[in-house]
Each structure stands twice: as structure tokens, then as C-alpha cells.
Amino acid sequence: MTVRLGIAGGTGRMGGALLAHLHQDSRFQVRAVRVRPGSVPHQTLPEGARLVTTGAELFEDTDVVLDFTSPALTREHITCAKGTKVPLLIGTTNLTQEIWQHLSDASEEVAILVSSNTSLGVAVLELLVEKTAKILKGYDIEILDAHHHLKKDAPSGTAKALLDVIERSLGVPVEAITHKTQRKPQNQALQVGLCSIRAGGILGDHYVIFGSEDEVLTLSHRCLDRRLFAKGALHGALWLRSQLPGLYRMSDALSI
Ligand SMILES: NC(=O)c1ccc[n+]([C@@H]2O[C@H](COP(=O)([O-])OP(=O)(O)OC[C@H]3O[C@@H](n4cnc5c(N)ncnc54)[C@H](OP(=O)(O)O)[C@@H]3O)[C@@H](O)[C@H]2O)c1
């Protein structure tokens, strides 16, 4: 049985990557693609898909909605998912505390998967970071993300997710620092340096660096093509459509 999809952000870079991939993936049928009134995607629409401009139309007759847009639009889609009980996969980053609260409430009634990075490699990177932080206790930790110059947020959602992984793994509060000041070893919280580069067309690189006086260990991931995120998101969508209400991560969909 094909999975009926709603795609939000049809004119965007990720929306375009999803539509390009979906032309050749018979597991899915694109029902609706949301754009702003008057906008048209660069990609031709898969057969049977219609352009829509409202959340209500996007969620109508769909099994899963994919959202790679902006926090404001994502907020509206969380409300639609709650109302229609159609599962929602959110790839949009830079969500506010208020939106997290809204989606946590909504996830009591509908399945929602949130991932700032839908690639398989970054799910594995998170596992490695979790283990390494436990083993290399006391090492300095730095996170670096590099992206294209049009990216709207910094640090990236993936860098923040890696920070959360470290916090969960060590069970202590983590304070992000930017090296305007020195590390303060006497501080109660673990200090982790965050640094962002925004240059040219870089699709997404992440480095997590563990350093002591004697050695430096670097774990890293590089995206070579945006279809990586599209493929991961579609894997997540297939998994999500049959889940009970709840708040899920990409690692749940990958069973790792
Ligand atoms: N999870 C992952 O693996 C992953 C990977 C890459 C990117 N991302 C995240 O996904 C999001 C989108 O990234 P992108 O590179 O595709 O960005 P983008 O090229 O700027 O695309 C954003 C899309 O959302 C639409 N949009 C935004 N606000 C809207 C509104 N209020 N009403 C209607 N349409 C609206 C834009 O329409 P207009 O063009 O008309 O503005 C555009 O189609 C970002 O948060 C990014 O960080 C996540």
C-alpha cells in the first residue's frame, strides 16, 4: 500500500530534494504540496499531487506530513496534526521553547517525529558521541558546524542536538560557550564550545572534538548531497505512519 504524503515547503531546498526523490519512489504518493499563495516549486510535481496554500488542505487525505519550513509554519502544522491525528515529521530547526511545549502536548494525541538531522550517519554520530563523552570524562569538548551562507540559524539544530546528547550522556548540566571568554573550570556546569561557519554552498558538516593535554579525538560527519536528508525523512515517514501517539526521534525510526 502506498503512503500518502503531504509536503510542506515545496519551494524550499529540502522540499525540492524531497520532490526530486519522490518522482522515483513508488512506496509513496504525494497528495499535497504546501507553498505560499502565488508560489510555484522549481521541481515538477509528482503525478496526482496538488499545490495547496493552507494547513487544512495539506493534512487532508494524507497518511504523514513532512515539514521542512520555518518555526512559525511548523507551529501551525503541529496544531493541524493534533486536530486531524495525521502523523507529522518535523525537520525544521530552531524551534522555540514554546513550540517544543506545543509539540510535546500534541504528541499525547498524535505521533510526531522531530529530527534536526534525518541522516543515518548523524544518528550514528550521536551514538558515538554519547559513548565517547562517557569514556573520555574530563576532556574538553568542542562542537563545530559548517553550512551554506543562506542558512538562517546558528548554531545548527544538529549542533544543539549533539549538545543535548552530551548532557544526557553525562547527566550534568551543560553550558554552551563561544570563547568570548575562557573556560571556567570551577563552574558547576560542563562547558562545551560551540562554533559555526557559514560559507558558500557547504551542505552540512559537523565535528565533535574531545581534547586532553595529550590527545585529540575528532568525530565528524559530512553531508555530500541533500537527498541524504530526504531519504532519511522518507524512511522516518514510513515508520511514523503506524506509530501510536508519542514524541519520537530519528533513532527510534532507525531502531538503533
Ligand atoms: N532535519 C534535517 O535533516 C534538515 C536538513 C536540512 C535543513 N533542515 C531544516 O529545514 C528547514 C528548511 O530548510 P531549507 O534549507 O529547505 O530552507 P528554505 O530553502 O528556506 O525552505 C523553506 C521553505 O519553507 C517555506 N516557508 C517558510 N515559512 C513559510 C510560511 N510562513 N508560509 C509558507 N511557506 C513558508 C518557504 O517558502 P518561501 O520560499 O516562499 O519562503 C520554503 O519553501 C530549516 O529549518 C533547516 O534548518 C533540516
Side-chain angles (χ1 to χ4, degrees):
M1 203 177 80
T2 56
V3 177
R4 299 168 305 163
L5 292 181
I7 308 275
T11 53
R13 283 175 287 266
M14 275 306 298
L18 281 165
L19 290 174
H21 184 84
L22 282 163
H23 275 289
Q24 348 137 24
D25 196 330
S26 59
R27 296 173 300 171
F28 300 96
Q29 185 193 359
V30 182
R31 296 298 292 247
V33 177
R34 182 169 184 182
V35 294
R36 289 182 204 271
S39 286
V40 179
H42 309 293
Q43 294 286 336
T44 51
L45 295 192
E47 209 180 312
R50 61 199 177 102
L51 274 190
V52 301
T53 55
T54 65
E57 294 167 294
L58 180 66
F59 279 74
E60 196 182 312
D61 290 331
T62 57
D63 298 317
V64 182
V65 167
L66 298 165
D67 177 302
F68 288 83
T69 59
S70 65
L73 199 64
T74 301
R75 196 191 187 294
E76 182 189 330
H77 292 154
I78 294 166
T79 305
C80 294
K82 187 176 172 183
T84 58
K85 312 288 182 255
V86 171
L88 172 65
L89 186 146
I90 300 172
T92 303
T93 59
N94 213 17
L95 304 179
T96 61
Q97 277 302 326
E98 191 271 329
I99 296 176
W100 274 104
Q101 186 56 53
H102 185 40
L103 77 83
S104 165
D105 294 344
S107 69
E108 286 174 17
E109 295 179 41
V110 64
I112 301 183
L113 190 159
V114 188
S115 173
S116 52
N117 194 309
T118 51
S119 72
L120 174 61
V122 164
V124 175
L125 176 66
E126 289 186 358
L127 281 182
L128 295 174
V129 167
E130 186 183 338
K131 260 202 168 339
T132 309
K134 275 203 176 88
I135 298 168
L136 300 184
K137 276 213 177 83
Y139 280 45
D140 294 331
I141 309 176
E142 300 277 318
I143 300 172
L144 166 67
D145 83 280
H147 282 87
H148 54 87
H149 57 199
L150 295 174
K151 185 163 176 61
K152 295 192 175 104
D153 52 328
S156 69
T158 306
K160 289 184 196 161
L162 289 164
L163 198 68
D164 289 345
V165 167
I166 293 165
E167 189 161 49
R168 275 201 310 274
S169 162
L170 295 179
V172 293
V174 169
E175 181 191 343
I177 55 168
T178 54
H179 296 303
K180 284 185 190 130
T181 54
Q182 284 180 323
R183 286 178 188 276
K184 300 185 199 98
Q186 73 280 13
N187 201 309
Q188 287 294 313
L190 170 72
Q191 296 180 324
V192 172
L194 281 186
C195 172
S196 298
I197 291 170
R198 296 291 175 261
I202 302 172
L203 289 174
D205 297 346
H206 291 91
Y207 299 84
V208 184
I209 300 160
F210 294 84
S212 75
E213 293 293 331
D214 307 317
E215 64 180 348
V216 170
L217 173 71
T218 305
L219 302 173
S220 71
H221 177 267
R222 166 167 282 190
C223 170
L224 300 178
D225 193 306
R226 216 168 253 117
R227 70 176 170 233
L228 169 73
F229 304 128
K231 282 187 201 163
L234 292 170
H235 177 89
L238 269 185
W239 177 86
L240 189 64
R241 73 162 168 158
S242 49
Q243 299 309 312
L244 292 170
L247 186 50
Y248 300 100
R249 297 191 212 148
M250 204 55 207
S251 54
D252 297 315
L254 295 166
S255 306
I256 56 173

